[in-house]
Amino acid sequence: MFKGMLGKSEKEDEEAYIETFRAQFAPQPEFRARYLFIIEGRKKPLFLEVNEGELTIHYGQEENIDVYAKLKPEVMDSIVDGRMTFQRAFMTGGNDCERETLRSCVC
């Protein structure tokens, strides 16, 4: 009984945010970026790559990242739910992100 509940929880944890990003994805011509979201309390970072009309997203480590973002789950929830933009999360402080030149921001 508990083993089944544990497995379901782990699977749900691995898929958190992925379907929401896929559903909201709006392709933009000539736009390319690789993001790594390090979400507090998660075992693996969330990797997201936009390559013009294609979206690749999964949990796990990747290389050659354009933007690193370390976020609290509440901030990521607000961004994903559309209550806050990523820019606003960065501007309100508590941010730790890196963009190409390894500048920091924490959300």
Side-chain angles (χ1 to χ4, degrees):
M1 178 175 155
F2 293 108
K3 184 177 180 181
M5 291 170 55
L6 179 61
K8 183 178 180 183
S9 176
E10 288 174 5
K11 183 176 179 172
E12 288 174 352
D13 192 45
E14 284 291 314
E15 294 179 9
Y17 305 118
I18 290 177
E19 289 306 315
T20 304
F21 273 109
R22 283 189 179 137
Q24 299 297 321
F25 178 64
Q28 294 184 6
E30 300 181 29
F31 180 79
R32 292 177 181 85
R34 293 171 58 93
Y35 302 87
L36 196 67
F37 297 101
I38 302 159
I39 304 166
E40 188 177 285
R42 299 247 178 220
K43 293 179 184 177
K44 298 177 185 177
L46 178 62
F47 170 74
L48 193 146
E49 179 179 26
V50 178
N51 189 354
E52 294 190 9
E54 295 181 30
L55 174 68
T56 303
I57 184 169
H58 63 83
Y59 282 91
Q61 196 64 41
E62 289 285 340
E63 301 294 325
N64 302 316
I65 301 300
D66 296 310
V67 179
Y68 290 89
K70 186 175 181 182
L71 307 111
K72 294 179 181 177
E74 303 82 38
V75 174
M76 186 66 158
D77 291 343
S78 292
I79 293 169
V80 170
D81 292 342
R83 295 186 308 251
M84 180 184 301
T85 64
F86 186 75
Q87 180 179 5
R88 182 171 159 225
F90 175 75
M91 297 302 286
T92 57
N95 304 331
D96 185 32
C97 298
E98 299 175 12
R99 168 87 179 153
E100 297 172 328
T101 58
L102 303 179
R103 289 176 277 167
S104 289
C105 85
V106 173
C107 305

